[in-house]
Amino acid sequence: MSMTELFSDHLLTILALAITGVVAGILAGLLGVGGGIVIVPVLYFLFQGFGVSPESAMVIATATSLATIVPTSLSSIRTHHRLGNVDIGLLKRWGLFILAGVLVASWLVTRIDGHWLTVLFGVIATLAALNMLFRAGKPGLFPHLPGPAGQATMATSVGFFSAMVGIGGGTLSVPLLTLCNYPAHKAVGTAAAIGLMIALPGALVMLTVGTTPADAPISTLGLINLAGFICIVPLTVLFAPVGARLAATLDAARLKKVFAVVLLVTGVRMLGQVMM
């Protein structure tokens, strides 16, 4: 089959993946949400539309999302580091615990039924949406970060649960840090570095250890769909600044609440698909 025939036969898939990259980039820049929280559910439903089972769709969506976070987080880290918003000290304290959580989780993704990943993503998406709706802008519940044992637990949990569902860590680390009265701007900047610490080892494990499902979409290597990666990454990087510019002219707080409602519906729908 020639490249032209291959492209034409899978044109709808390529267009859908490209649109995913555009939407993920705009939302990342506009609302400050991680791309993974958008990419995973879109890929999950998209792959099913092309005949992939829900179980396979979820593990491939998880691994592919982590792979896309690697290059996009590098760009974000540079920006936040220039602004002085990356807490190197916290990263040093959390690094090994994040890595431990990621390695265990990414190995589990290659072994467990995709239904459990769908349930976990649905729960995390629902909780993240409720946090955006009811906790945004409110003061922290605790005066400061806990001691070494508490922070080790937080870091391991962020690494583990983020890798399990293919998100970069900001969805979990930012709310956890701000609950402890950690400065919001530093939480967001540090979360970009945490995202890289989660995505790189997680994607490598899923690429090298994962067994490609029999019903996987074309160009899937290990558990990562290369076509998805190639289509999504450039557009996410390209359109994130567009979202950032839109944030200066639109009511980002109101749009964030709209996104939270969409995310809540998505999480509940994913849970409903598994429970039915």
Side-chain angles (χ1 to χ4, degrees), residues 1-11 14 218-219:
M1 179 181 292
S2 68
M3 289 299 295
T4 302
E5 291 172 329
L6 185 65
F7 181 84
S8 60
D9 287 349
H10 299 280
L11 180 60
I14 293 169
I218 188 172
S219 75

Side-chain angles (χ1 to χ4, degrees), residues 177-221:
L177 289 169
T178 53
L179 274 177
C180 300
N181 265 316
Y182 190 86
H185 62 285
K186 281 210 166 186
V188 173
T190 306
I194 290 173
L196 180 62
M197 297 167 70
I198 291 168
L200 183 57
L204 286 174
V205 170
M206 295 178 197
L207 177 69
T208 57
V209 178
T211 301
T212 305
D215 60 344
I218 188 172
S219 75
T220 300
L221 183 61

Side-chain angles (χ1 to χ4, degrees), residues 32 76-77 79-91 93-94 145 169-170 172-195 197:
S76 181
I77 290 168
T79 300
H80 286 294
H81 185 65
R82 283 198 300 268
L83 296 172
N85 291 337
V86 179
D87 188 338
I88 303 299
L90 184 137
L91 293 175
R93 295 193 303 273
W94 283 33
L145 287 170
L172 299 179
S173 64
V174 171
L176 282 175
L177 289 169
T178 53
L179 274 177
C180 300
N181 265 316
Y182 190 86
H185 62 285
K186 281 210 166 186
V188 173
T190 306
I194 290 173
M197 297 167 70

Side-chain angles (χ1 to χ4, degrees), residues 4-245:
T4 302
E5 291 172 329
L6 185 65
F7 181 84
S8 60
D9 287 349
H10 299 280
L11 180 60
L12 288 178
T13 305
I14 293 169
L15 287 175
L17 292 170
I19 292 170
T20 302
V22 171
V23 173
I26 290 176
L27 288 177
L30 180 62
L31 305 178
V33 298
I37 202 73
V38 177
I39 292 168
V40 170
V42 171
L43 292 182
Y44 172 69
F45 291 114
L46 176 64
F47 289 152
Q48 289 182 67
F50 290 98
V52 181
S53 68
E55 299 89 344
S56 298
M58 189 61 198
V59 294
I60 297 168
T62 298
T64 305
S65 174
L66 284 179
T68 66
I69 290 167
V70 173
T72 55
S73 64
L74 287 170
S75 174
S76 181
I77 290 168
R78 284 196 297 269
T79 300
H80 286 294
H81 185 65
R82 283 198 300 268
L83 296 172
N85 291 337
V86 179
D87 188 338
I88 303 299
L90 184 137
L91 293 175
K92 289 179 178 179
R93 295 193 303 273
W94 283 33
L96 287 177
F97 299 105
I98 290 173
L99 180 61
V102 170
L103 292 177
V104 173
S106 52
W107 179 82
L108 280 175
V109 169
T110 69
R111 294 291 182 268
I112 67 174
D113 192 305
H115 278 309
W116 293 109
L117 300 181
T118 307
V119 170
L120 184 58
F121 185 94
V123 170
I124 289 175
T126 301
L127 293 176
L130 293 174
N131 180 71
M132 288 183 203
L133 286 170
F134 301 112
R135 285 288 310 162
K138 293 190 176 179
L141 298 178
F142 307 101
H144 49 72
L145 287 170
Q151 290 193 51
T153 302
M154 290 171 67
T156 305
S157 300
V158 167
F160 180 84
F161 289 109
S162 298
M164 284 289 285
V165 296
I167 57 180
T171 300
L172 299 179
S173 64
V174 171
L176 282 175
L177 289 169
T178 53
L179 274 177
C180 300
N181 265 316
Y182 190 86
H185 62 285
K186 281 210 166 186
V188 173
T190 306
I194 290 173
L196 180 62
M197 297 167 70
I198 291 168
L200 183 57
L204 286 174
V205 170
M206 295 178 197
L207 177 69
T208 57
V209 178
T211 301
T212 305
D215 60 344
I218 188 172
S219 75
T220 300
L221 183 61
L223 295 178
I224 295 175
N225 183 257
L226 299 181
F229 177 84
I230 292 169
C231 291
I232 290 171
V233 168
L235 291 168
T236 300
V237 173
L238 181 64
F239 280 87
V242 175
R245 287 194 294 271

Side-chain angles (χ1 to χ4, degrees), residues 214-276:
D215 60 344
I218 188 172
S219 75
T220 300
L221 183 61
L223 295 178
I224 295 175
N225 183 257
L226 299 181
F229 177 84
I230 292 169
C231 291
I232 290 171
V233 168
L235 291 168
T236 300
V237 173
L238 181 64
F239 280 87
V242 175
R245 287 194 294 271
L246 286 174
T249 59
L250 301 176
D251 187 346
R254 180 173 295 179
L255 288 171
K256 196 163 191 173
K257 290 188 181 297
V258 172
F259 173 72
V261 172
V262 173
L263 183 60
L264 180 62
V265 171
T266 301
V268 171
R269 183 183 173 191
M270 292 177 76
L271 289 171
Q273 183 172 353
V274 174
M275 301 303 180
M276 289 177 61

